[in-house]
Amino acid sequence: MSCIVDGTTIQGVDVCPQSWSESPEYFGESSYFGGQPPLSKAVGYLVVVGFGLLFSIFTTVVVYLDKAFSANSSWTSEQFNTAGRMVKTGLTASVIISQWTWAATLLQSSNVAWQYGVSGPFWYASGATIQILVFGVLAISLKDVAPSAHTMCEIVRARWGKTAHLTF
């Protein structure tokens, strides 16, 4: 198949994008900036490092203000990192699903729906559902073995003792 753009015939093209005929000056270009980046590398690093520092400082100030003016200022770092062990099942489930469902998953499930119909996304998701169910069963059994453990190393210590814990 061929495509005609501004009087030029292009061979071997399956689809002739509408943008080629609307803006022929961009035909064959890989960038809208003429092959030059719009910002320098130094500006890129400044943005990344600058925002990182800004958000770090902001988070530190918010934690300090929370500690200074909150009634729960006697919380330890363990309580802070685990939200006081007050996170319920619904929030935990929504976090797992939101981390499991990211952009590539959504795009692929749409692709599978196009190829196989309505049942495609169902069977596509079924493979990952098994892993999530096994994770839930494993988490429940780990809480029986080590109810106060937070990390894998603490679980190893509860199961195999101090020597195995020091190995990890």
Side-chain angles (χ1 to χ4, degrees):
M1 182 177 178
S2 64
C3 191
I4 299 174
V5 177
D6 213 19
T8 305
T9 303
I10 305 153
Q11 298 294 331
V13 178
D14 293 334
V15 178
C16 185
Q18 187 70 24
S19 62
W20 286 1
S21 58
E22 290 174 358
S23 303
E25 67 268 14
Y26 295 118
F27 168 69
E29 294 289 331
S30 61
S31 171
Y32 287 107
F33 303 107
Q36 298 296 323
L39 300 173
S40 68
K41 189 184 281 189
V43 172
Y45 278 114
L46 181 67
V47 167
V48 171
V49 173
F51 275 115
L53 288 173
L54 178 73
F55 288 133
S56 297
I57 291 169
F58 176 74
T59 303
T60 303
V61 168
V62 168
V63 169
Y64 175 76
L65 291 174
D66 182 49
K67 186 176 179 181
F69 296 110
S70 176
N72 296 329
S73 60
S74 63
W75 276 28
T76 64
S77 64
E78 176 185 345
Q79 290 171 323
F80 177 80
N81 289 327
T82 61
R85 299 272 178 200
M86 296 178 359
V87 177
K88 303 295 180 205
T89 307
L91 181 60
T92 303
S94 66
V95 166
I96 290 171
I97 296 300
S98 68
Q99 290 176 347
W100 171 50
T101 308
W102 57 300
T105 302
L106 294 175
L107 291 172
Q108 182 58 21
S109 67
S110 301
N111 200 9
V112 169
W114 177 260
Q115 290 178 342
Y116 301 109
V118 175
S119 68
F122 173 78
W123 291 111
Y124 176 76
S126 296
T129 305
I130 294 168
Q131 297 168 11
I132 291 175
L133 292 174
V134 169
F135 172 77
V137 171
L138 180 64
I140 291 169
S141 65
L142 285 176
K143 274 298 174 188
D144 287 341
V145 173
S148 62
H150 306 101
T151 65
M152 191 65 191
C153 291
E154 291 175 345
I155 294 169
V156 167
R157 182 176 185 168
R159 173 64 178 92
W160 289 289
K162 188 173 182 178
T163 306
H165 175 74
L166 291 175
T167 304
F168 281 90

